[in-house]
Every structure is written in C-alpha cells, then in structure tokens.
Amino acid sequence: MTTGLPRTFLRLIGADRRLHDLDRHQRLIRNQRPFLFTVGFVCLLVLVLSPQAYGQGLFLAGLALTLLSCLPAVLLPWRRFASMMYWLIPLLQFAAIAALRAGGNGYLVGLSLVVVFPVIWLAWFMPRSLAVHIINFTATSFIVILPILLGQGSASFSLEDLAGRAIIPVILTVIGLFAANVSRSIDAQQQELVDKDRQLRLAAAESERRAQLLNTVIETVPVGVVVVDAEGHDMMMNSHQRELHQIGVPREVPDPREDQLLVFGEDKTTPLPAEERPVRRAVKGSSFTHQLIWLGDQRHRRALSVSANSMKDREGSSTGSVIVFSDVTELVEALEVKDEFLQAMSHELRTPLTSILGYIDLVLEEAESLPAAESLCANLQVAERNASRLLQMVTDLLTTAARPALKVREADLAEVVHSSVASARLQADAAGVTLIDGVGPSLRGRFDPDRMHQVVDNLISNAIKYSAAGATVSVDAWHEDRSLHITVTDTGQGISERDQREIFEKFFRTEEARDSAAPGIGLGLNIIKHIVDDHHGSIRVTSEPGRGSTFTVTIPVQ
Ligand code: ADP
C-alpha cells in the first residue's frame, strides 16, 4: 500500500487505481493523465527557465492542442465516438508535442520523449494495425524534423545531425512495436481467462442444473433415500425417508441413535442387532439388495425392503453409501395371506389325493390279475401318474408355505443320489434321455437325507423335463474342502442369463418352459434353495441357451 506523498503523486498521474477495475471510458480518461502531467511539468520548467516561450504562437498552439486532446473523451458521447477517440486523441497529442517543441525554441529537445505516450497508446489499443506503426514513425519523425524545417537551432545542419535525430523515431517505433506485442499477448491471455471463466460458469450452471434434477428425482420417487458419508453421518435425506424415520423413533427417546431405533427382523418381533441394521452395514461398506426389516412399534409397524450401494473414490476407498428404503408392507402382508391360504389349501388337498392314489393302486393290482385287461391297466397307470404329479405339486405348495425344520443326521449322499437316479430312470427312458450316475460308493456327512433327496430328485427331474429326446443328463457328487458337492448337468434347452437371476424365485418359469408341454408351477428350485440355505450351503447355475445347464449344490458337512 502506498500512502502520503507517493499516493498523491500516483493519483496525479492516474496510476493509483488498477485499470481493470475501471470501465473502458474511465480508462481512456485516466490514460491521458500521464501525458497531461508531463506536459504540465514541462510548461512549469519553461515558465521558470524560458518564459519568453509563452510569447511564441507555436508554443501556445501546442498548449491549446494539449487541452483540446483532453476534450473528446469528456465531451463527446462515448458510445458513438469510442473507436474514433482512440485515433483522435493520440493524433492531437502528436500535434501538441510538435507545436510545443517547435515553439520552445530549442529548449525543449527532451520534449520529444513525451511522444512515447501517444506512441504506446496507439500501439496498445490497436496492436494489430500496421497503420499505427507507420503513423508512429511518421509523426515522431515530423516532431523531430519540424524545428529544422522551421530553421531553428544551428544555421546549417549536417547529415550526422539528421541521423542523430532520426534515432528517436526509430526507437519510438520499436517501443510501439514492443507495446503492440505485449498488448496482443495480454489480449490473448485475457481471452483465455474469459474462455475459462465462461467454461467455469457453464460447468457451475450445469452442476446446479444436475443438483436440481437429482433433488427433484429424489423427492419424487416413492421410496426413502438417505446418503451417508464414510463415517455414517447423513449427507442427504429425502422427505419420504424423514417420514419413515419417524416411525422408528421410540416414544421415550425423541432423538435416538441408530441402534435405539425400533428396527426388527423378518419375524417382526426380534430387534435387529446393531451390526445387522441396514445403515450400519452400508457404512461398513457392504452393498446389498432387498434386506427385509420391520420398522416401528406394533401399532404403526411397516415392512421395508432396504438396498444399499457403496460409493467409492478413484482410489477405491469408500466415500459413503446410498441407502434406499422401500415400503413393502402391503406386499409382505399379501404374501403372508397367500402363504397361509396355500398352506391350508394344500393341506386340505393332500388327504383326498393320497386316498385316491391308494385306491388307484388297489384297483391297478386287481386289474393286473384280470385276463386281457391291458387297456384298463394302461388307463389306470395314466390316472395314477397324473394323481402322483398332482400330489407332488400339492406337496411342493405345502413345503413352500410351511418350510419344515431340518432333521440333520449322519448320512450317505452317494446313497441319496443313487436312489434319486434309480427313481428318475423311468422318466428318463420315457423322454429318450440318457441318464448317467457318476457318483462313487460312499460320501458321508451330516445333513438331512430326506430333504437332500428332494433336492437331487428335483434337479434330475428338471434336467430331464427341460431336455429333448437324445439329450444326456449326468449326476456327479464328491467331497472337497469339508463340503459335499453335487452337480446335475444336462444338454437340454438351457437358461438365458436374465432368467438365471430369477429361476430361484417362487412361481418363476422361463418363457420356454411356459411354452413347452413340461408340467410345473415354478416352485421346485425355490424349495431346493430353501433346503440348501437351511444347510448353510449354496446353489448356483451355469447355462447356455440351446446347449444345456449345470446346477451345482454345495453344503458344508461339519
Ligand atoms: P418347474 O416346476 O417349472 O420346473 P422349477 O422351480 O423347478 O419349476 O424351475 C423353475 C424354472 O427354471 C422352470 O420352469 C424352467 O423354466 C427353469 N429350469 C429349471 N431347471 C432347468 C433346466 N435343467 N434346464 C432348463 N430350464 C430349467
């Protein structure tokens, strides 16, 4: 910061304020101050050292031109004459200097240097104009030569004298060229800054637009959305989520911590342990879908399906998580009613069906002993097959609804597979499918053999059902890494990648299965999945449409 005298001096020559703080018009006015100040200073010197110059017409004309050069910027309407002023003012200044110098009777040789102001002015404001440099050279030469032409100084002047004076226009023209160059590069830099500024503004406007869009989307979707940072602090929460959150707030704790919220597991009554709560899991970095929780006390309880997706930075470290809460109370209640209905219905249907099957067996036995009753036997076998299929469907429905507890004991998986393959042999022969049992003599472990029977039966039955005549179905099982593994591979119709994600859902059947005559209601794989889950195992499928599928079941046996 400059203070006192230096500051007053700077104000006098118009250098106390930064030019880019001013508009173009103010800058133009201010740019004349150095010239005026210098001419004023020279006039003061002349007044002291050579007052007779004030009697010279040329000197006075010079002063008048100096004052005249200040007037356009102040008097003429700036907007209309702006471009003209950039030429007019320096040209008037050139004329003023020429007159002052010629009128100064040789005392003001140094005044030629003042010409640097209009020279720089012209070069600075019109850096791309060649005319400017020609004017600069011509005007400065004229200023230097005018006193000679007027017969001032020595009576005779030599060529050296002329050459000595010619240095000034050359130097000033070079200064003009240099100023034009600096001006051009500053212009380019300014343009770059303007471009960058425009890009920044556009980027800022775009990000604001996106933020608004995101906000509108988040406020419009009929689900609760909360975004937490890596420490678990809320970064954003939509109004739907705020309402849901209120349901979980216990009456006696108005501002509860996450572990104090009324959050229950699927059975609606067991409070969910803190580390199994969706927000805690998400903060720990896990991504998951459809975790079912119950929120709130008995009167206001809501079922929520929660999904979370963790956010990562470029280095892959977690920066937080987006958690979505979807209210599925009506759906879950409807499913419960449906399950109860299915359970009741299938239970009611099983008893008469078992009885029908028993009686068909009795009649079949009697018919087989009758002479020439082949056609009757064949008809009864069809009735028996269909009644058995119906009983299987009803049993499947009952199993899905009830999910009976496992009866784990020491058992042999090889025996289970052999017996399943033997029972499926008839179905395979009828379908023209080759069935291969590749399992060794013994695979012992602790599991529920009846339920595993159901698993292998169902997989083999599906493999045959969804294969055309001529296909091969092979069953394999082995012991590895403290687990039992079973694979059922077929060369049948296969399952598309999209369908593979859904085949374990209740009642799901692929389009091919629905179009084919293969009987089924889409419960078998869902039941298998539950049985395998109850054994803490896993089931996966690899398949290629048109080429076949492999189902692999793994259960730990320790
Ligand atoms: P379904 O009673 O229809 O057989 P599942 O639950 O056993 O019901 O199977 C569900 C669906 O998965 C089937 O409808 C069928 O579309 C498909 N699927 C199951 N196993 C196979 C297989 N081995 N090959 C091709 N598709 C299969």
Side-chain angles (χ1 to χ4, degrees):
M1 282 264 308
T2 43
T3 47
L5 207 60
R7 184 167 180 83
T8 315
F9 177 71
L10 286 179
R11 194 176 304 143
L12 208 63
I13 63 164
D16 59 324
R17 284 183 64 184
R18 292 182 306 179
L19 286 178
H20 66 262
D21 290 342
L22 306 169
D23 65 26
R24 282 181 76 207
H25 188 204
Q26 286 173 322
R27 245 186 279 172
L28 185 91
I29 296 174
R30 198 162 275 260
N31 277 336
Q32 292 181 64
R33 286 218 205 155
F35 175 75
L36 275 181
F37 172 81
T38 317
V39 173
F41 177 71
V42 169
C43 292
L44 215 62
L45 274 184
V46 170
L47 189 66
V48 176
L49 301 173
S50 173
Q52 66 275 21
Y54 282 86
Q56 293 272 346
L58 263 175
F59 187 78
L60 290 174
L63 284 181
L65 280 167
T66 303
L67 291 176
L68 194 65
S69 74
C70 306
L71 297 181
V74 189
L75 295 183
L76 290 181
W78 162 252
R79 285 190 189 284
R80 272 182 65 193
F81 296 101
S83 56
M84 190 195 86
M85 277 186 233
Y86 283 104
W87 288 98
L88 183 64
I89 294 170
L91 290 179
L92 284 170
Q93 289 177 350
F94 278 132
I97 296 164
L100 282 172
R101 190 166 176 276
N105 267 343
Y107 295 110
L108 298 175
V109 178
L111 197 66
S112 314
L113 286 179
V114 182
V115 94
V116 80
F117 293 116
V119 164
I120 290 182
W121 172 298
L122 276 174
W124 191 269
F125 288 111
M126 280 149 287
R128 284 174 186 84
S129 163
L130 178 66
V132 157
H133 302 296
I134 296 171
I135 290 174
N136 277 345
F137 183 76
T138 317
T140 45
S141 304
F142 178 71
I143 290 167
V144 173
I145 291 168
L146 184 64
I148 301 173
L149 296 177
L150 292 175
Q152 293 172 359
S154 55
S156 63
F157 76 95
S158 60
L159 208 59
E160 287 97 37
D161 208 8
L162 194 66
R165 282 168 192 260
I167 286 177
I168 294 176
V170 172
I171 290 176
L172 285 167
T173 309
V174 170
I175 288 176
L177 284 165
F178 184 70
N181 194 18
V182 174
S183 170
R184 274 198 304 271
S185 77
I186 287 179
D187 267 2
Q189 278 174 6
Q190 253 172 2
Q191 192 51 48
E192 239 171 71
L193 279 178
V194 168
D195 287 350
K196 285 211 173 107
D197 186 56
R198 206 184 57 237
Q199 281 167 7
L200 270 178
R201 276 169 208 273
L202 283 175
E206 176 62 15
S207 85
E208 196 183 317
R209 196 185 65 80
R210 277 169 189 254
Q212 271 174 359
L213 183 77
L214 184 70
N215 209 29
T216 315
V217 171
I218 281 177
E219 283 302 327
T220 311
V221 288
V223 289
V225 180
V226 59
V227 182
V228 290
D229 65 16
E231 276 76 47
H233 304 124
D234 291 351
M235 287 163 70
M236 204 189 76
M237 188 186 275
N238 69 353
S239 45
H240 201 80
Q241 177 57 19
R242 277 192 284 276
E243 283 165 23
L244 285 177
H245 180 81
Q246 280 312 313
I247 299 173
V249 174
R251 219 176 294 162
E252 59 287 358
V253 193
D255 188 16
R257 294 188 312 266
E258 165 69 23
D259 56 348
Q260 291 174 313
L261 285 172
L262 300 171
V263 180
F264 303 94
E266 283 190 38
D267 66 356
K268 305 183 192 176
T269 46
T270 318
L272 210 60
E275 62 281 2
E276 283 177 32
R277 296 188 172 206
V279 175
R280 182 70 67 87
R281 288 178 65 197
V283 169
K284 280 187 178 165
S286 49
S287 295
F288 52 89
T289 51
H290 304 310
Q291 179 184 3
L292 186 71
I293 59 164
W294 286 87
L295 189 70
D297 59 23
Q298 218 169 355
R299 278 181 56 216
H300 305 102
R301 203 159 46 194
R302 306 296 298 170
L304 302 178
S305 165
V306 193
S307 301
N309 215 341
S310 75
M311 303 183 286
K312 304 243 183 298
D313 60 15
R314 277 162 194 244
E315 280 75 45
S317 5
S318 168
T319 55
S321 200
V322 180
I323 311 156
V324 177
F325 296 78
S326 169
D327 190 338
V328 290
T329 316
E330 279 73 30
L331 182 70
V332 170
E333 282 171 353
L335 283 173
E336 282 173 357
V337 171
K338 188 201 74 187
D339 278 351
E340 277 165 25
F341 171 76
L342 284 179
Q343 197 173 351
M345 273 291 294
S346 39
H347 195 77
E348 292 302 315
L349 287 172
R350 259 171 73 87
T351 325
L353 259 175
T354 323
S355 159
I356 289 170
L357 261 172
Y359 280 102
I360 292 177
D361 275 348
L362 276 179
V363 178
L364 195 59
E365 260 174 46
E366 280 178 31
E368 276 165 358
S369 57
L370 291 176
E374 286 83 11
S375 150
L376 177 64
C377 287
N379 289 346
L380 280 171
Q381 273 161 355
V382 172
E384 194 212 17
R385 250 198 329 273
N386 282 300
S388 305
R389 192 177 288 163
L390 196 56
L391 183 63
Q392 182 58 50
M393 284 183 192
V394 171
T395 311
D396 279 357
L397 281 174
L398 192 60
T399 316
T400 338
R403 203 165 169 176
L406 288 188
K407 291 184 188 122
V408 174
R409 60 186 166 84
E410 184 72 23
D412 186 349
L413 186 68
E415 246 174 48
V416 170
V417 175
H418 295 322
S419 131
S420 288
V421 171
S423 337
R425 189 72 68 195
L426 218 68
Q427 186 196 353
D429 290 346
V433 170
T434 312
L435 182 58
I436 301 169
D437 181 352
V439 182
S442 169
L443 286 169
R444 299 206 67 80
R446 284 185 65 76
F447 56 89
D448 181 333
D450 293 335
R451 310 305 307 282
M452 285 310 289
H453 221 299
Q454 217 175 333
V455 169
V456 183
D457 275 352
N458 250 314
L459 289 178
I460 298 176
S461 159
N462 276 351
I464 299 170
K465 215 161 54 170
Y466 300 112
S467 297
T472 305
V473 171
S474 44
V475 189
D476 223 331
W478 68 97
H479 192 280
E480 191 182 311
D481 295 337
R482 299 180 178 185
S483 296
L484 287 171
H485 307 265
I486 311 155
T487 57
V488 178
T489 303
D490 65 64
T491 56
Q493 66 186 41
I495 308 162
S496 72
E497 227 175 286
R498 213 186 64 203
D499 287 343
Q500 285 175 35
R501 287 195 284 270
E502 296 192 65
I503 49 172
F504 297 101
E505 302 292 328
K506 268 184 205 170
F507 302 111
F508 178 84
R509 302 198 78 205
T510 62
E511 211 176 310
E512 293 79 13
R514 283 194 308 261
D515 291 348
S516 73
I521 48 173
L523 279 179
L525 286 179
N526 182 264
I527 292 170
I528 292 178
K529 173 97 172 64
H530 283 155
I531 297 173
V532 173
D533 283 350
D534 289 347
H535 279 91
H536 305 291
S538 65
I539 177 163
R540 63 196 167 78
V541 59
T542 52
S543 183
E544 207 179 311
R547 296 190 151 246
S549 319
T550 298
F551 284 83
T552 307
V553 172
T554 301
I555 51 164
V557 283
Q558 295 274 311

